[in-house]
Amino acid sequence: MLFVQNERLLDLMKSEYKLADINNLLAFCGKNRIFEFSTLDNGLFPAARTNSQTDYTGYSSVWVRDNIHIAHAHYVCGNAQVAVKNVSALQAYFNKHRGRFENIVSGASDSRNPMNRPHVRFNGQNMEEIDEKWAHAQNDALGYFLWFYCRLALDNLLSPSTSDLELLTLFPRYWQSIRFWEDEDSGHWEENRKISASSIGVVIAALKEMQRYLLRIGSLEYSALIDKLITIGSKKLAEILPCECAQVAPGKYRRYDSALLFLIFPLDILDEEMANTVLRDVINNLQGDHGIRRYLGDSYWSADYKKKVAPESRTIDFSDDIGKRNALLREGEEAQWCIFDPIISAIYALKFKHHSRNIDLENQIHYFNRSLGQITGRECALGEFLCPESYYLENDQYVPSDPTPLNWTQANLMMAIKLLEKNLCKKPCLFK
């Protein structure tokens, strides 16, 4: 069964799309401002558009990881200038605070304290760090930046200066210092620290892209180090997959996690067999009717979250003490997130591109329609035509969580539409 939150979309949703249907859908989205991104003057994206009711979430801050996913979606959709402006602003931020990399590389700072690490959530208005305890041990966030920066440089959309290259070379040296392949970080979901396949995979993707760029420009000083790190990291990743975390310690082992989807798209670092395993794992174990769970046992925005957790405690740093929040969760009542369905649609888009199998196109459309179905309807207290972070149970009904609209969800849906349009152009005969 396909759940559709906004009945006005029903006439636009098809089991088989034609290009004219995509044009009608894009016109509808434009008219209702579904892809209106809240953007700062410097090109950075706050996590969500907030108001007086949702300011407490802190989602007006900038997250590095979210920004790269959003910028990459614009890039895929042909808006390279948006992507370049965003990544250039992130580069300026990291350059401003490069001392955090340098101090850990030199041993002047203790990397075991996450506050000593490069801060991956900050005030985008003034590029300053936020004076609040946070789970900044996030190797994936740093990896996403380096990966996409080098991708843009390889496409000749960025021209790094000597100073820029010096900043970039801090990343592999930093990862060597913390031994990223066995580093317990807080990862995509900023929670309890563990050795996470999703974080290791993002770092490997970043190192590979950086190596490609450095070889192109003939810069070989760090080539041996990068090769070494890729080899060590790839060996560790192979040992962990298809798990997210293989550590047996309580609260660390995790068999399924939707963050692993990003190793398939956009990073494309898994072989086809492992990619199919990860995709099947998520669909069979984490997919719900209203979205996709991050992982089993996820207590963030679990049932009746707003009744059980005070506003000032809903979005705090849980990396040191997630047990209290986990105690609120009843089995099967995890929040169902909206960022993953368009990513699965994108994965099937690439499968269809490579193999031209009708089943892949059918699955691409299915997950695209699930994504459309998550757009809020008239009855939503937060507003209509919004892309939520997730749906959670409130009084036994699934409703959007307060971080709505989430820029990351909007970006993924926008990209899913573009990839469907591209496949329709490839095989119009399928839709006669």
Side-chain angles (χ1 to χ4, degrees):
M1 178 181 296
L2 180 66
F3 284 83
V4 180
Q5 302 292 332
N6 195 316
E7 62 182 15
R8 301 196 209 187
L9 283 159
L10 287 172
D11 290 339
L12 296 167
M13 298 170 67
K14 313 289 182 181
S15 59
E16 293 184 354
Y17 283 90
K18 300 177 182 178
L19 284 173
D21 298 323
I22 298 298
N23 291 334
N24 291 338
L25 187 55
L26 288 171
F28 178 88
C29 290
K31 177 182 178 182
N32 294 290
R33 303 164 70 181
I34 291 174
F35 297 135
E36 183 177 276
F37 290 85
S38 47
T39 313
L40 303 180
D41 291 342
N42 54 19
L44 295 173
F45 298 98
R49 186 165 69 244
T50 60
N51 55 36
S52 58
Q53 291 180 300
T54 58
D55 279 341
Y56 79 88
T57 62
Y59 276 52
S60 59
S61 300
V62 164
W63 271 260
V64 173
R65 173 179 40 255
D66 294 42
N67 269 252
I68 293 301
H69 279 281
I70 297 164
H72 175 258
H74 281 85
Y75 168 78
V76 170
C77 293
N79 301 323
Q81 288 184 335
V82 172
V84 170
K85 185 175 182 180
N86 178 270
V87 170
S88 298
L90 289 174
Q91 176 199 27
Y93 165 75
F94 281 125
N95 201 43
K96 183 175 184 179
H97 302 283
R98 63 188 294 163
R100 293 205 176 272
F101 290 92
E102 293 168 340
N103 288 340
I104 287 177
V105 169
S106 69
S109 291
D110 184 356
S111 65
R112 291 174 296 182
N113 181 349
M115 293 302 290
N116 289 337
R117 297 198 182 200
H119 288 200
V120 294
R121 168 182 175 263
F122 62 96
N123 184 326
Q125 297 279 3
N126 58 16
M127 299 285 208
E128 294 295 341
E129 297 173 343
I130 298 172
D131 185 19
E132 177 186 1
K133 181 181 177 295
W134 201 256
H136 290 295
Q138 296 178 38
N139 295 325
D140 65 295
L142 302 180
Y144 280 123
F145 166 76
L146 183 64
W147 167 77
F148 195 44
Y149 185 96
C150 293
R151 173 68 57 87
L152 294 177
L154 283 162
D155 283 350
N156 299 314
L157 294 170
L158 285 172
S159 299
S161 65
T162 300
S163 176
D164 297 334
L165 289 174
E166 289 174 356
L167 172 66
L168 296 185
T169 62
L170 284 171
F171 283 77
R173 287 184 282 162
Y174 170 86
W175 285 321
Q176 179 188 39
S177 297
I178 65 170
R179 298 173 65 87
F180 81 93
W181 58 93
E182 59 186 20
D183 180 55
E184 294 187 336
D185 78 334
S186 291
H188 285 73
W189 313 136
E190 304 185 317
E191 295 177 345
N192 53 309
R193 293 175 67 172
K194 61 189 185 306
I195 302 174
S196 302
S198 59
S199 290
I200 294 171
V202 180
V203 172
I204 292 170
L207 291 168
K208 287 183 175 181
E209 209 72 353
M210 183 178 182
Q211 186 75 300
R212 287 179 59 210
Y213 179 70
L214 293 180
L215 289 174
R216 175 197 276 187
I217 64 174
S219 178
L220 304 178
E221 181 180 359
Y222 293 97
S223 181
L225 170 61
I226 293 173
D227 278 342
K228 176 184 176 182
L229 295 178
I230 292 172
T231 299
I232 297 173
S234 297
K235 182 177 184 293
K236 184 66 174 182
L237 182 62
E239 293 173 358
I240 301 173
L241 289 172
C243 297
E244 162 68 345
C245 179
Q247 292 171 279
V248 296
K252 294 186 179 182
Y253 177 80
R254 186 172 300 166
R255 176 63 180 84
Y256 311 112
D257 196 309
S258 293
L260 292 171
L261 291 172
F262 303 126
L263 303 189
I264 310 173
F265 185 88
L267 299 179
D268 190 25
I269 65 160
L270 303 183
D271 62 40
E272 187 171 18
E273 182 179 359
M274 183 57 69
N276 287 338
T277 297
V278 167
L279 181 60
R280 186 167 55 249
D281 282 348
V282 171
I283 291 172
N284 292 342
N285 297 280
L286 300 178
Q287 180 173 305
D289 292 332
H290 301 274
I292 294 174
R293 299 167 180 87
R294 299 190 300 181
Y295 58 90
L296 299 178
D298 180 12
S299 57
Y300 184 56
W301 286 98
S302 57
D304 296 316
Y305 196 67
K306 292 172 74 171
K307 293 180 181 179
K308 298 175 180 177
V309 183
E312 64 273 13
S313 299
R314 290 174 193 161
T315 57
I316 60 172
D317 175 15
F318 287 102
S319 59
D320 291 332
D321 186 16
I322 201 170
K324 292 180 181 178
R325 197 186 74 187
N326 285 347
L328 305 175
L329 176 69
R330 296 189 297 265
E331 185 177 356
E333 294 187 345
E334 299 93 345
Q336 299 181 25
W337 284 55
C338 303
I339 60 174
F340 300 118
D341 282 289
I343 292 297
I344 294 181
S345 182
I347 290 170
Y348 278 114
L350 295 187
K351 283 177 170 290
F352 178 71
K353 178 181 178 181
H354 293 153
H355 302 295
S356 297
R357 297 179 302 216
N358 284 4
I359 186 63
D360 292 328
L361 185 60
E362 292 169 6
N363 282 323
Q364 179 187 1
I365 290 172
H366 173 70
Y367 284 95
F368 173 68
N369 283 339
R370 277 176 54 95
S371 305
L372 289 177
Q374 294 160 358
I375 295 172
T376 60
R378 296 176 182 176
E379 72 287 350
C380 177
L382 297 168
E384 189 179 13
F385 302 119
L386 304 179
C387 296
E389 178 181 66
S390 66
Y391 279 88
Y392 80 107
L393 276 168
E394 183 177 84
N395 300 324
D396 295 322
Q397 297 290 323
Y398 277 96
V399 298
S401 58
D402 281 1
T404 298
L406 190 77
N407 274 327
W408 190 355
T409 306
Q410 288 180 190
N412 286 357
L413 177 58
M414 178 180 72
M415 182 169 56
I417 292 179
K418 185 65 175 180
L419 292 174
L420 180 56
E421 181 183 43
K422 287 182 178 180
N423 276 352
L424 296 182
C425 291
K426 177 187 176 184
K427 284 285 187 180
C429 60
L430 292 174
F431 300 90
K432 289 182 179 178

